[in-house]
Amino acid sequence: QSVLTQPPSASGTPGQRVTISCSGSSSNVGSNNVNWYQQVPGTAPKLLIYWNSHRPSGVPDRFSGSKSGTSASLAISGLQSEDEADYYCAAWDDTLDGRVVFGGGTKVTVL
Amino acid sequence: QARLVESGGGVVQSGRSLRLSCAASGFTLSTYTVYWVRQAPGKGLEWVTVMSYYGNKTYYADSVKGRFTISRDNSKNTLQMEMNSLRDEDTAVYYCARESTWGAFDMWGQGTKVTVSS
């Protein structure tokens, strides 16, 4: 059972907007930055969003992140077939020395 | 180009040991905090252990504490993880990951698969 809560699945047709939520607590999401990772099946995770809403170089601007209180969200606008992947949120937890906590992951399917 | 490459995975019997390595190229590993993260078959990501930059602090997940040991060989620019008393539930793909100045994992290795059979 993951510390951060994500819906197990989300889906949309090409061009649609999909949003994934990530719920935590005051010791993790509520007091630390949230990062998002994309994992295409069979490959390593890739950093998608850092500091709640910042995109690393090379990540398309149709990916956006936000945070409010103890919840964060990732939005994919203009969904494309190559966006079909698993998405994980992560944050540091103030109650756990050196530990990062992950969400359980959300499988995004492009219909 | 900077990258991380893991090695050392394989099939091992329950109770035995295995040593994983993570070789860094294109940057100096000792100047970064580095992690091992694992992913059991069909499951999500799980933090396993971390070594701070310059190696002065290490932490372990409760599930591996006392059995796994993280270390670094600065002369070879590599990270290692010694895994003892392996259990079925340690079966996973193990990734090493670098923590950026943004506090995110900006670089991951390709992963190495560990299968523990009883």
Side-chain angles (χ1 to χ4, degrees), chain A residues 1-4 6 35-39 43-47 86-90 100-106, chain B residues 36-40 42-48 92-95 97 105 108:
Chain A
Q1 193 162 345
S2 302
V3 175
L4 305 182
Q6 296 180 235
N35 304 311
W36 290 89
Y37 300 92
Q38 177 193 56
Q39 186 179 33
T43 69
K46 167 193 166 185
L47 179 62
D86 296 316
Y87 293 83
Y88 295 90
C89 61
V100 60
V101 289
F102 290 96
T106 299
Chain B
W36 285 99
V37 175
R38 69 184 180 183
Q39 186 170 36
K43 302 296 185 182
L45 302 171
E46 178 191 18
W47 169 85
V48 176
V93 175
Y94 287 75
Y95 297 99
F105 298 146
W108 298 69

Side-chain angles (χ1 to χ4, degrees), chain B residues 32-75:
Chain B
Y32 289 85
T33 293
V34 284
Y35 290 73
W36 285 99
V37 175
R38 69 184 180 183
Q39 186 170 36
K43 302 296 185 182
L45 302 171
E46 178 191 18
W47 169 85
V48 176
T49 181
V50 55
M51 173 173 276
S52 65
Y53 62 90
Y54 297 120
N56 61 332
K57 288 184 179 179
T58 58
Y59 299 101
Y60 298 89
D62 289 343
S63 57
V64 307
K65 197 174 295 181
R67 300 188 298 122
F68 290 13
T69 303
I70 190 173
S71 61
R72 185 154 52 195
D73 185 336
N74 292 337
S75 67

Side-chain angles (χ1 to χ4, degrees), chain A:
Chain A
Q1 193 162 345
S2 302
V3 175
L4 305 182
T5 301
Q6 296 180 235
S9 64
S11 63
T13 57
Q16 277 191 327
R17 176 184 171 91
V18 169
T19 302
I20 301 167
S21 61
C22 173
S23 178
S25 66
S26 58
S27 65
N28 42 64
V29 175
S31 54
N32 293 290
N33 291 315
V34 175
N35 304 311
W36 290 89
Y37 300 92
Q38 177 193 56
Q39 186 179 33
V40 175
T43 69
K46 167 193 166 185
L47 179 62
L48 200 64
I49 296 286
Y50 67 95
W51 283 355
N52 306 317
S53 60
H54 295 258
R55 287 184 306 276
S57 174
V59 173
D61 60 5
R62 51 202 182 77
F63 292 95
S64 61
S66 63
K67 191 186 92 167
S68 178
T70 58
S71 292
S73 64
L74 173 72
I76 310 173
S77 303
L79 192 65
Q80 299 184 7
S81 58
E82 58 261 38
D83 299 333
E84 189 158 290
D86 296 316
Y87 293 83
Y88 295 90
C89 61
W92 264 252
D93 194 302
D94 293 338
T95 65
L96 306 170
D97 286 338
R99 301 179 197 184
V100 60
V101 289
F102 290 96
T106 299
K107 169 71 176 177
V108 169
T109 302
V110 181
L111 302 171

Side-chain angles (χ1 to χ4, degrees), chain B residues 4-45:
Chain B
L4 295 167
V5 178
E6 301 95 336
S7 61
V11 180
V12 61
Q13 281 188 321
S14 180
R16 303 297 291 266
S17 300
L18 205 59
R19 185 181 182 88
L20 304 185
S21 289
C22 171
S25 58
F27 69 99
T28 302
L29 195 62
S30 63
T31 61
Y32 289 85
T33 293
V34 284
Y35 290 73
W36 285 99
V37 175
R38 69 184 180 183
Q39 186 170 36
K43 302 296 185 182
L45 302 171

